[in-house]
Amino acid sequence: MQPLLEVRGLTKSFGGVAALSDGRFTLQPGSVHALCGGNGAGKSTFLTIVMGIQQRDSGTIRVKGRDVTFARPSDALDAGISIIEQELSPVPAMSVAENIYLGREPVGLLGRVDFRRMNRDAQALLDQLHFNISARRLMMDLTVAELQLVEIAKALSYNAEIIIMDEPTSALGEAEADQLFAAVARLKEQGKGIIYVSHRLSEIFGIADTYTVFRDGRFIDSGAVADVTRDRLIEMIVGRPLTEEFAKTNTPTDETVFTLRGLNTAGWVRDVSLDLRRGEIVALYGLMGSGRSEIFERLFGLGSDEGGEITLFGERVHLSTPKEAIDRGLAFVTEDRKGSGLNLMASVRDNICMARLDELSPLGVMRRRREVSAAAQMIEAFGIRTPNDRIDVSGLSGGNQQKVVLGKWFLTQPKILLLDEPTRGVDVGAKREIYRVMSEFAQGGGAVIMVSSETDEVLGMADRVVVMRDGRVSGEVARKDMSAAALLHLAA
Amino acid sequence: MNTKAASSQGYKALAADFGQKYGILMALVLVCVILSFLSEFFLTQRNITNVLRQASVNGILAIGMTFVILTRGIDLSVGSVAALAGVVAASLATTSTTAGVDGAPHAVAIALGAGILAGIAAGWVNGVLVAYFNVPAFVTTLGMLSAARGLTLLYSGGRPVPSLTPEFRFIGTGDILGIPMPIILFGLVFLLAYLVLSATRFGRHVYAAGGNPHAARVSGINVKRVRMLVYIISGGLAGLAGMVLAARTGSALPQAGVAFELDAIAAVVIGGTSLSGGVGRVSGTLLGALLISVVNNGLDLMGVQSFYQQIVKGMLIVGAVMLDQARHKHA
């Protein structure tokens, strides 16, 4: 069969440094092809060239057997290549239809936008994909999952044959992700080719037909997903044989360090009770919007007190500001690393010190030497790969950025860690290190509450799972009874 | 990766870093060198003192503005607040009985204290509205720009407050060891601001609150309080600048300081502080204020009509930001 896309020997350097030295890729129609690789493997460079955002240094790109050169993104679009980006960029105050046809609105008499036709076309498109979304709704009223689906509809409205999905599930819960996978399956039936980029291996094994692995800017291997094991794939991505994926070394004790009784939040979380023991990792599991993150925000003084008792180490506490929570020994790794985890304008050192400024500045004056040694200590402890601590944190890879966030919190010497999607958007190698850190923290006398949408992660790391549904606790599962089916049964 | 390419990359990064840090300094030196060739008068001690003195009022305002802009804010009210502080302080330091206010000469410390307090009060109102009532800074301070001017006119009856006591005039016209007071005050304010921003906890809070307010809040920083304080700092410094201005001219004019906020913002922006917050240095602001003053002075010396000077200043502001954008693109 004629491949939809065939790329050979693609190279690209930036200022003499090769970002991609041998990009190879073949996409067949009616298939989902996973593009795998760690941070810095060259995936993004490869994709930006295929999308016409950057120019290749050498190599060939063929679309349906025809050599092509894309000088700009619109050339790629014209050739039938469309992308659903990781970071969506909707116009919030416009309707779904307006967003889909942005910049190419159907016009009627005297250049007036023909809204009726636009809404009709958009609705037809959405219906054909079985997306249950009205074309007249405003983008700002949609959930993240719905935004993704609109983005897919938009890609298809260009009559795209090749659709690139870059981490499409990174902001989705499991149910929404299933909706997305159903859409992907439908695209496949229609003979489209999908390039699927994701760090989540379970997704790759769930929906992809073929895979290609890049590492250090080079093509490593490709083949059918059915012919490769999970371990083998990880090995190719990371470049070395691996030990246990979930490095779990902690054992819970009987000592209760933290209890919640009847907690409500400003959102719709009602009557949540929970116990946490020293040395324990408890997962809060549930679909997006089940209220998991709201609990963390309330515990960290970011949400208002709507009733409920919090007891820390036997003492009733109120936790009405983040500072109070930090002083009580809590640390909160938020779900949105760029939005609320890091100051991207600042250096690695400043970010590591951000939650510990009081101790680093007796009488209000910063002690530079203490800052330097604090940063050095955390860079060492977490294996943060950075040339020095003065460079902007925005220059680090996702995994290393996440380790900076962890470093920031470990510097406060927390007793209880709240982790909200701690491994989102980080590569397999960094994930393992984060699991190791979590485990060692618990083993060393800490306690962890983790929110995660990744079932594998929950099954791998948690000693106990508290499942949330519609803002309430719907059940609790002990480690020995855990299974994906059991969790999903309680969550949905 | 080959080493040659890597080191050329290194040089480029170094050059970009150098440009980032010293670009404005190089521009200032370049302009000074050119002017010293164009006018023999430029490099005389008298003229240099003159340039520095002219830079000092704007410089003091611009340093306050730097704090505000670092937190993603803006303070459009500094010119009006300076005028308000000027008449309030002057009314306590005048020997005139014909002024629009029932003024009387008091100890100079009382007059100065009242001026600063007037500035701080205006800044506090700005800060509370921005930080706790979530009114956009642009709107809040635009309101204060109008309200403070109105208060100034009301308080002074629309007339200047003349005949200031010599003690009060000292902060505008006096000197210590031959250095004029406005320059000394500007220097002190700069030094203090530099220390606060680079070496104190509050300084870190300012950068963090501007760089990413959400992350700062989660990290236990009281972002609202920081935002309120920067407007208080800006207001207080506007008060100081207003009094220096009144002392220099010998009487406090209710219409003083009109459009001063523009020069202050210009100095901050030319100095490389990002309007989107979190990035910038007060040393850049110092150089920005000096550059504006030098360019104005140079155009004066060359006999360029003042109308053209405004055009040049406009180009300078936009040019500085364009350069900055280009640098960021390469980085």
Side-chain angles (χ1 to χ4, degrees):
Chain A
M1 203 178 347
Q2 170 96 294
L4 275 176
L5 178 72
E6 206 176 357
V7 180
R8 288 284 166 269
L10 205 62
T11 66
K12 177 76 186 173
S13 302
F14 296 101
V17 182
L20 192 63
S21 46
D22 178 17
R24 280 186 242 163
F25 200 88
T26 307
L27 180 67
Q28 299 293 347
S31 77
V32 178
H33 193 140
L35 177 58
C36 313
N39 298 119
K43 288 176 307 187
S44 309
T45 310
F46 174 80
L47 292 177
T48 49
I49 294 171
V50 171
M51 291 180 318
I53 294 170
Q54 294 189 79
Q55 305 305 307
R56 64 194 148 185
D57 294 341
S58 65
T60 57
I61 303 176
R62 288 206 187 104
V63 175
K64 292 195 217 162
R66 208 162 41 82
D67 270 314
V68 291
T69 306
F70 301 141
R72 57 189 72 81
S74 60
D75 292 351
L77 218 49
D78 291 343
I81 302 178
S82 195
I83 181 163
I84 292 138
E85 287 187 72
Q86 193 175 354
E87 318 245 322
L88 304 175
S89 41
V91 184
M94 284 192 180
S95 72
V96 169
E98 283 173 294
N99 269 274
I100 290 177
Y101 290 105
L102 200 64
R104 51 199 175 103
E105 295 83 356
V107 287
L109 199 63
L110 301 172
R112 186 188 140 275
V113 174
D114 187 347
F115 280 104
R116 188 186 294 189
R117 198 173 118 210
M118 186 161 79
N119 286 333
R120 199 180 54 220
D121 290 357
Q123 198 59 59
L125 189 67
L126 293 164
D127 292 347
Q128 178 214 333
L129 290 162
H130 300 269
F131 296 165
N132 190 17
I133 300 171
S134 161
R136 290 164 192 271
R137 283 175 69 192
L138 294 184
M139 290 298 267
M140 60 172 114
D141 297 333
L142 301 187
T143 63
V144 183
E146 288 171 327
L147 289 177
Q148 292 272 17
L149 297 179
V150 171
E151 216 46 51
I152 292 174
K154 183 173 179 177
L156 288 175
S157 71
Y158 286 97
N159 296 318
E161 304 255 12
I162 300 165
I163 296 155
I164 302 168
M165 296 189 175
D166 191 1
E167 296 274 353
T169 56
S170 68
L172 301 188
E174 220 131 300
E176 294 97 334
D178 285 343
Q179 214 180 339
L180 181 87
F181 298 151
V184 169
R186 223 162 285 128
L187 297 178
K188 220 169 93 170
E189 281 166 21
Q190 296 175 3
K192 314 277 186 195
I194 291 132
I195 303 176
Y196 193 87
V197 182
S198 176
H199 287 309
R200 296 186 177 175
L201 296 178
S202 52
E203 289 177 3
I204 290 171
F205 283 94
I207 66 163
D209 305 301
T210 47
Y211 68 90
T212 292
V213 178
F214 282 7
R215 187 174 71 234
D216 302 327
R218 288 177 182 282
F219 169 87
I220 298 295
D221 191 24
S222 73
V225 170
D227 300 338
V228 72
T229 63
R230 189 185 172 99
D231 285 349
R232 173 76 194 120
L233 190 61
I234 295 177
E235 227 173 278
M236 285 191 281
I237 293 170
V238 184
R240 56 190 144 85
L242 281 166
T243 45
E244 184 66 33
E245 183 172 3
F246 299 105
K248 187 166 170 59
T249 55
N250 67 307
T251 32
T253 64
D254 290 337
E255 183 194 347
T256 301
V257 291
F258 180 79
T259 54
L260 278 183
R261 287 288 171 267
L263 190 87
N264 301 330
T265 74
W268 60 339
V269 173
R270 288 292 168 268
D271 196 26
V272 169
S273 297
L274 181 98
D275 290 296
L276 184 65
R277 286 176 270 278
R278 190 186 290 277
E280 191 179 34
I281 299 175
V282 169
L284 271 180
Y285 181 82
L287 304 178
M288 288 276 286
S290 59
R292 306 163 307 173
S293 302
E294 285 87 342
I295 296 178
F296 277 5
E297 281 168 14
R298 167 66 192 92
L299 291 182
F300 218 65
L302 294 159
S304 56
D305 188 350
E306 305 283 328
E309 279 182 28
I310 307 169
T311 313
L312 258 176
F313 305 102
E315 191 187 341
R316 209 32 227 286
V317 293
H318 289 284
L319 307 177
S320 50
T321 64
K323 177 141 181 33
E324 200 179 328
I326 294 168
D327 291 345
R328 294 274 182 186
L330 264 63
F332 179 21
V333 175
T334 57
E335 150 184 52
D336 184 358
R337 180 165 64 237
K338 290 180 178 165
S340 53
L342 294 169
N343 176 1
L344 291 173
M345 307 275 195
S347 65
V348 172
R349 186 200 297 169
D350 286 347
N351 271 286
I352 290 176
C353 297
M354 187 156 56
R356 192 63 170 168
L357 291 171
D358 289 3
E359 275 67 29
L360 297 169
S361 60
L363 302 172
V365 179
M366 297 304 301
R367 293 294 162 82
R368 190 142 299 183
R369 206 176 304 161
R370 286 194 206 175
E371 287 183 274
V372 172
S373 82
Q377 191 192 332
M378 289 302 142
I379 288 171
E380 158 96 45
F382 292 92
I384 300 169
R385 273 187 285 281
T386 175
N388 60 62
D389 67 354
R390 293 313 296 157
I391 71 158
D392 281 357
V393 76
S394 55
L396 301 188
S397 69
N400 279 303
Q401 288 185 356
Q402 187 71 345
K403 290 190 224 163
V404 170
V405 176
L406 285 168
K408 169 176 92 171
W409 288 117
F410 271 81
L411 194 62
T412 66
Q413 299 173 325
K415 300 186 186 86
I416 292 169
L417 262 185
L418 309 176
L419 302 174
D420 197 352
E421 303 284 0
T423 61
R424 168 171 297 172
V426 310
D427 66 43
V428 189
K431 260 185 191 177
R432 277 159 194 272
E433 288 181 61
I434 291 168
Y435 295 142
R436 176 182 60 80
V437 166
M438 237 162 100
S439 210
E440 283 175 7
F441 174 75
Q443 187 56 27
V448 179
I449 309 180
M450 165 179 84
V451 161
S452 176
S453 307
E454 275 188 78
T455 316
D456 290 347
E457 186 168 284
V458 171
L459 296 176
M461 293 307 298
D463 295 304
R464 200 152 48 90
V465 184
V466 173
V467 184
M468 304 275 306
R469 185 172 59 207
D470 298 338
R472 286 169 191 276
V473 173
S474 61
E476 207 177 292
V477 187
R479 184 158 180 86
K480 61 178 169 46
D481 306 322
M482 269 183 219
S483 69
L487 296 185
L488 214 58
H489 175 70
L490 283 169
Chain B
M1 144 191 358
N2 67 52
T3 47
K4 199 174 157 198
S7 69
S8 103
Q9 183 87 339
Y11 289 136
K12 236 184 222 167
L14 211 67
D17 198 44
F18 188 81
Q20 183 85 25
K21 274 182 180 148
Y22 304 110
I24 166 85
L25 182 62
M26 291 189 293
L28 182 62
V29 170
L30 192 71
V31 171
C32 287
V33 168
I34 293 171
L35 285 176
S36 63
F37 280 112
L38 289 178
S39 160
E40 70 228 37
F41 187 66
F42 180 75
L43 273 185
T44 59
Q45 195 201 342
R46 214 180 113 204
N47 190 54
I48 291 172
T49 311
N50 197 20
V51 167
L52 289 174
R53 194 164 40 207
Q54 278 171 357
S56 51
V57 167
N58 180 36
I60 292 170
L61 293 175
I63 283 168
M65 188 72 74
T66 308
F67 280 85
V68 174
I69 289 180
L70 278 175
T71 62
R72 302 187 173 183
I74 193 92
D75 188 350
L76 300 176
S77 68
V78 291
S80 299
V81 171
L84 177 65
V87 297
V88 167
S91 71
L92 299 171
T94 177
T95 54
S96 162
T97 48
T98 59
V101 290
D102 293 326
H106 284 72
V108 67
I110 291 177
L112 293 175
I116 297 272
L117 275 181
I120 285 175
W124 177 76
V125 172
N126 282 334
V128 167
L129 289 173
V130 171
Y132 294 95
F133 290 86
N134 293 319
V135 184
F138 193 95
V139 176
T140 302
T141 60
L142 188 64
M144 182 57 76
L145 175 142
S146 179
R149 182 68 62 188
L151 273 176
T152 308
L153 291 165
L154 204 64
Y155 184 77
S156 66
R159 287 190 291 272
V161 185
S163 312
L164 304 178
T165 59
E167 293 82 17
F168 186 81
R169 294 207 62 193
F170 180 77
I171 64 162
T173 56
D175 64 82
I176 294 175
L177 300 172
I179 307 171
M181 275 307 285
I183 300 175
I184 291 177
L185 289 170
F186 178 29
L188 284 176
V189 167
F190 165 74
L191 216 64
L192 206 63
Y194 178 81
L195 288 176
V196 167
L197 281 181
S198 65
T200 69
R201 188 192 306 163
F202 177 69
R204 293 300 145 89
H205 287 184
V206 169
Y207 282 106
N212 186 344
H214 301 293
R217 181 160 172 246
V218 174
S219 301
I221 293 170
N222 190 339
V223 174
K224 285 179 195 282
R225 193 174 135 263
V226 171
R227 287 172 75 191
M228 182 182 73
L229 285 173
V230 294
Y231 288 92
I232 291 179
I233 290 171
S234 179
L237 289 178
L240 177 65
M243 291 189 297
V244 170
L245 192 65
R248 211 170 72 195
T249 27
S251 63
L253 309 175
Q255 66 274 31
V258 171
F260 273 25
E261 61 279 356
L262 298 182
D263 273 9
I265 294 167
V268 176
V269 167
I270 291 171
T273 296
S274 161
L275 284 172
S276 42
V279 177
R281 287 197 187 81
V282 78
S283 51
T285 301
L286 171 77
L287 295 173
L290 290 178
L291 186 62
I292 291 174
S293 186
V294 165
V295 168
N296 280 342
N297 175 263
L299 295 173
D300 273 339
L301 289 180
M302 289 187 296
V304 177
Q305 209 189 350
S306 74
F307 301 155
Y308 289 107
Q309 295 190 10
Q310 300 206 20
I311 299 174
V312 171
K313 193 156 67 198
M315 296 196 307
L316 199 65
I317 297 167
V318 177
V321 174
M322 270 170 67
L323 272 178
D324 203 48
Q325 292 289 346
R327 256 196 327 249
H328 280 297
K329 216 173 197 174
H330 285 295

